[in-house]
Amino acid sequence: MDKSIFENYAGLEGGQLLGPILRDFRGRAAVVSSFGAESAVLLHMVAGIDRSSPIIFLDTGKHFWETLSYRSMLIDKLGLTGVRVIEPDIADLAATDPDGTLQKSNADLCCHIRKTLPLQRALQGFDVTISGRKRYHGAARATLDFLSIADDRLKVEPLAGFSALDLAAYMKAHDLPAHPLTEIGYFSIGCEPCTQAGGTAADPRAGRWAGSSKTECGIHWTHNGKDMPAPSVASH
Ligand code: SF4
């Protein structure tokens, strides 16, 4: 995969970018969704193009029950038929996080075995990944490109240019249900042990890994905007 492919999609974003990508790479493009606070927008766009598109959900074993319930409800409402639930490797958990508390001592390693490794395995055979990250979330995301290439795979960010207002307007226009935790003050929602209520439209991810310098889980292959080497099991 080389950057000349960007020319095919120059100037496109949102559904106008997603449509040709899903058609051109049918069966070879995977959407990665957390079914979190703003996920319904991208998932609704996908449903409007091809309900059978592969959608990967990483079930870390640490999600809020509200997220799992919301996932089931959105799948039904949008008629999504391509959702794949990916879980951590049992042997990795047994060796590295036997009591399920690794996030307290080594959050990077916990994300590595519960998110990064399972996703890398799930993406084998896909040429394109699509996610719903936005520049307005700031930090490493502030300079997101709509298109990039990593690990010889095309990465597509159709919502990179969307603001909080754009997302709210889209949700309202299409009568999309909100994640239940957004109604009690959660702006960004990940695993339960690492997510607090809070955040603002100006800093929506403030409730993620609050009190630490960590801002990303690593599934996008960077940590705080820098290339992230795989954490060592020995560092636990
Ligand atoms: S977000 Fe927290 S609980 Fe979830 S995988 Fe990362 S460190 Fe572990």
Side-chain angles (χ1 to χ4, degrees):
M1 189 80 67
D2 72 61
K3 290 185 176 179
S4 62
I5 198 165
F6 294 179
E7 295 167 11
N8 298 351
Y9 310 103
L12 301 179
E13 64 174 307
Q16 292 186 334
L17 173 59
L18 191 59
I21 290 287
L22 288 178
R23 284 189 283 273
D24 293 349
F25 294 93
R26 192 161 196 277
R28 294 188 290 134
V31 178
V32 180
S33 178
S34 66
F35 287 79
E38 297 169 336
S39 297
V41 172
L42 183 64
L43 295 170
H44 179 267
M45 290 179 180
V46 171
I49 298 162
D50 181 357
R51 288 191 167 92
S52 69
S53 299
I55 297 169
I56 294 173
F57 172 76
L58 285 165
D59 188 347
T60 62
K62 298 287 184 182
H63 283 294
F64 290 92
W65 69 263
E66 288 91 341
T67 296
L68 303 181
S69 172
Y70 185 59
R71 180 194 66 190
S72 299
M73 189 261 286
L74 275 184
I75 288 172
D76 283 349
K77 180 176 175 62
L78 300 177
L80 300 169
T81 61
V83 176
R84 305 173 185 197
V85 177
I86 306 300
E87 298 178 346
D89 183 80
I90 290 173
D92 286 345
L93 291 179
T96 313
D97 191 12
D99 63 1
T101 61
L102 180 59
Q103 80 280 351
K104 295 179 185 172
S105 58
N106 191 336
D108 282 343
L109 183 57
C110 185
C111 281
H112 187 65
I113 63 167
R114 291 181 182 273
K115 294 184 174 181
T116 308
L117 291 180
L119 182 61
Q120 286 176 350
R121 287 191 285 265
L123 289 177
Q124 294 296 321
F126 287 105
D127 297 320
V128 179
T129 60
I130 302 164
S131 78
R133 294 185 297 166
K134 277 77 59 178
R135 290 177 188 146
Y136 97 86
H137 281 192
R141 303 183 180 208
T143 55
L144 266 182
D145 292 320
F146 291 108
L147 300 167
S148 60
I149 291 175
D151 295 340
D152 200 32
R153 213 175 261 127
L154 179 63
K155 296 185 73 176
V156 186
E157 307 284 358
L159 305 186
F162 277 50
S163 67
L165 286 176
D166 294 332
L167 295 163
Y170 188 101
M171 297 273 291
K172 187 174 181 186
H174 297 282
D175 195 24
L176 295 175
H179 189 300
L181 292 179
T182 62
E183 290 162 7
I184 56 171
Y186 288 76
F187 267 76
S188 177
I189 300 159
C191 294
E192 184 169 5
C194 302
T195 305
Q196 295 179 5
T200 63
D203 187 10
R205 289 173 64 81
R208 305 288 294 276
W209 300 286
S212 83
S213 62
K214 184 173 171 68
T215 61
E216 294 285 348
C217 62
I219 62 171
H220 303 292
W221 296 282
T222 62
H223 176 48
N224 297 342
K226 299 172 186 160
D227 289 340
M228 190 177 81
S232 165
V233 172
S235 66
H236 173 42

